[in-house]
Amino acid sequence: LLLATMVIASVLAFMAAKRITLPVKRLSDLAGRVAAGILDHEAIPGPNNEIEHMNKSFGQVVDSFKSVADVCEATARGDFSKSVTVRSDGDVLGRSVNTMGQRLKAAHEDAARKISYLNNIPALVHAIDKDFNLLFINDAGAKMIDKDAAEYIGKKCYELLNTGHCNTRACQ
């Protein structure tokens, strides 16, 4: 009888331990995936106790990361209309992503304004790299050579402009 009781107690203890350790193991695996940037959270079945609470909290963390990732992806495409919902006074990540988006939007608008200034100059304005590839040409310069400015970006300036300074020391 004592042996049977010990066997039953051991089996019950094993089942109880498995019921606790399996969800913890699954949450641990999920944490590893999230750390690797994989945000495919799925509810992990487990007992209705602290483990369930931890599972729900972890789901909120993943949802927060997904929100940040969505805003970052939109910002990378040039869509500055999205922002992260700041979840608390201590939400450093949410505030930082929103600040980054606002500053990138301002920088983008500033660059567009400056390009507009260059395009309004009624004379050739261009920029080249050290290998003489055209990086920018304003509208007046494009009109001088009778082409759309976008057609010239990346081409050699001396092939396009062909001035008396091209391919001479005066050019360099």
Side-chain angles (χ1 to χ4, degrees):
L1 184 62
L2 181 60
L3 182 62
T5 303
M6 287 176 54
V7 168
I8 291 173
S10 295
V11 168
L12 290 175
F14 176 78
M15 289 173 55
K18 189 107 174 144
R19 187 177 161 153
I20 293 171
T21 59
L22 187 59
V24 170
K25 167 85 170 87
R26 288 182 179 162
L27 279 172
S28 176
D29 292 345
L30 177 60
R33 288 197 316 268
V34 169
I38 302 166
L39 303 177
D40 62 349
H41 177 260
E42 57 204 50
I44 296 171
N48 191 15
N49 57 17
E50 293 84 1
I51 293 173
E52 178 65 20
H53 179 71
M54 185 170 55
N55 186 24
K56 286 180 183 177
S57 296
F58 203 84
Q60 291 172 339
V61 168
V62 171
D63 289 344
S64 177
F65 284 175
K66 284 180 181 179
S67 173
V68 168
D70 288 344
V71 170
C72 290
E73 287 175 356
T75 301
R77 289 189 311 270
D79 176 1
F80 302 107
S81 66
K82 295 188 176 191
S83 64
V84 175
T85 300
V86 176
R87 290 167 163 50
S88 73
D89 290 340
D91 187 355
V92 175
L93 181 61
R95 281 195 328 270
S96 297
V97 167
N98 288 342
T99 299
M100 177 186 65
Q102 292 163 358
R103 289 183 179 165
L104 284 171
K105 179 181 179 183
H108 184 267
E109 290 169 349
D110 186 50
R113 188 172 44 258
K114 289 176 179 170
I115 289 171
S116 172
Y117 297 156
L118 294 173
N119 280 327
N120 286 322
I121 296 172
L124 169 66
V125 177
H126 67 285
I128 59 172
D129 64 16
K130 64 181 176 67
D131 295 321
F132 305 105
N133 296 307
L134 194 64
L135 303 174
F136 173 82
I137 187 167
N138 69 342
D139 291 342
K143 285 178 187 172
M144 286 174 56
I145 44 182
D146 200 29
K147 297 268 184 176
D148 181 41
E151 292 180 51
Y152 292 113
I153 304 304
K155 305 232 180 192
K156 301 292 183 189
C157 66
Y158 51 79
E159 294 172 357
L160 305 171
L161 304 176
N162 199 20
T163 70
H165 295 300
C166 289
N167 288 319
T168 68
R169 288 183 185 243
C171 176
Q172 298 173 11

